[in-house]
Amino acid sequence: MEFGLKGRKVAILATDGVEQVELIEPRKALEAAGAITHVIAPKQGAIQGMNHDEKGEEIPVDRVLTSVRASDYDALLLPGGVANPDTLRTETAAVQFVREFMLAEKPVAAICHGPWLLVEAQAVSGRTLTSWPSLKTDIRNAGGQWVDLPVSVDEKLITSRKPADIPAFNAAIVKEFGNRLDDARVDETSEQSFPASDPPPGPSAIGGEGAARTP
């Protein structure tokens, strides 16, 4: 049985205006650990990467958002850049995609302005996370606890503040994604070996409900 990230699929949700380094460097780290990554965007072709205020590379899109589901992937990465998450949080399909990962309790990582999507998905209440400092009030107003740390790990949610934190962020996502997915594998194996006589049903529909942690 393979453990860690080998062969596991990670969705990277982004659009034009993504901070290039916050997509490319974590992607390299995940792929080096054996993960399969797909850049998912609302449109086909490529998205425009940014180096702060300057245009960077055009990043090829692997999958169009409307053609995928959260159930196709094991984990989610949300890079930042101001325009990228600000645009995505107005896209119903993007917000729903994030919400489904959170409701399914799959590992999710977000850096810089990426947590804006978590706020829009109603997924920060009762959670501790970090971000670019300008999101602090948004996160607190949504019921989250904001911390000023290079990396915050709250169960399966990993967040980071800015490009300078990427080395720590990469180490955390490789470790935590691998550990959380290993735990899920063990749970699946146990359920297959010792099935419950009447397992509890999962949510039949996501609808517009949030993914906040309940007390």
Side-chain angles (χ1 to χ4, degrees):
M1 179 183 296
E2 295 285 358
F3 283 85
L5 284 171
K6 186 173 182 180
R8 307 304 279 189
K9 294 173 67 177
V10 179
I12 304 173
L13 181 60
T15 193
D16 292 325
V18 64
E19 188 68 28
Q20 182 174 302
V21 70
E22 294 174 1
L23 188 158
I24 290 176
E25 292 304 317
R27 185 181 201 182
K28 286 180 181 177
L30 290 166
E31 291 182 346
I36 299 165
T37 66
H38 290 160
V39 172
I40 298 167
K43 64 175 186 176
Q44 296 179 336
I47 55 175
Q48 181 63 59
M50 299 294 292
N51 293 317
H52 302 296
D53 296 329
E54 302 291 330
K55 284 188 176 181
E57 300 174 12
E58 289 196 341
I59 301 167
V61 173
D62 299 306
R63 300 286 188 275
V64 176
L65 179 59
T66 54
S67 71
V68 298
R69 298 176 298 177
S71 58
D72 298 331
Y73 294 91
D74 299 296
L76 173 65
L77 171 64
L78 299 172
V82 179
N84 163 53
D86 197 33
T87 298
L88 288 174
R89 64 180 178 158
T90 68
E91 294 265 356
T92 301
V95 176
Q96 184 72 0
F97 191 64
V98 174
R99 182 180 291 132
E100 289 175 359
F101 272 92
M102 297 298 290
L103 284 172
E105 298 185 348
K106 293 185 176 185
V108 173
I111 185 169
C112 199
H113 290 79
W116 251 342
L117 274 162
L118 300 172
V119 171
E120 198 67 31
Q122 301 174 42
V124 303
S125 181
R127 301 180 192 275
T128 300
L129 62 161
T130 192
S131 68
W132 186 255
S134 64
L135 274 65
K136 173 170 58 175
T137 299
D138 291 339
I139 289 169
R140 287 176 173 170
N141 286 344
Q145 180 179 347
W146 188 86
V147 292
D148 186 12
L149 295 171
V151 178
S152 172
V153 178
D154 186 338
E155 295 185 356
K156 297 181 182 179
L157 178 61
I158 303 103
T159 51
S160 214
R161 302 173 301 185
K162 55 189 176 181
D165 296 333
I166 286 175
F169 182 64
N170 287 352
I173 62 174
V174 168
K175 176 184 176 182
E176 296 298 330
F177 277 14
N179 288 347
R180 300 302 178 177
L181 292 173
D182 285 348
D183 289 344
R185 284 189 185 94
V186 171
D187 290 344
E188 288 170 6
T189 301
S190 298
E191 288 173 2
Q192 291 168 3
S193 301
F194 305 100
S197 57
D198 189 16
S204 58
I206 303 297
E209 296 179 0
R213 176 179 294 142
T214 54

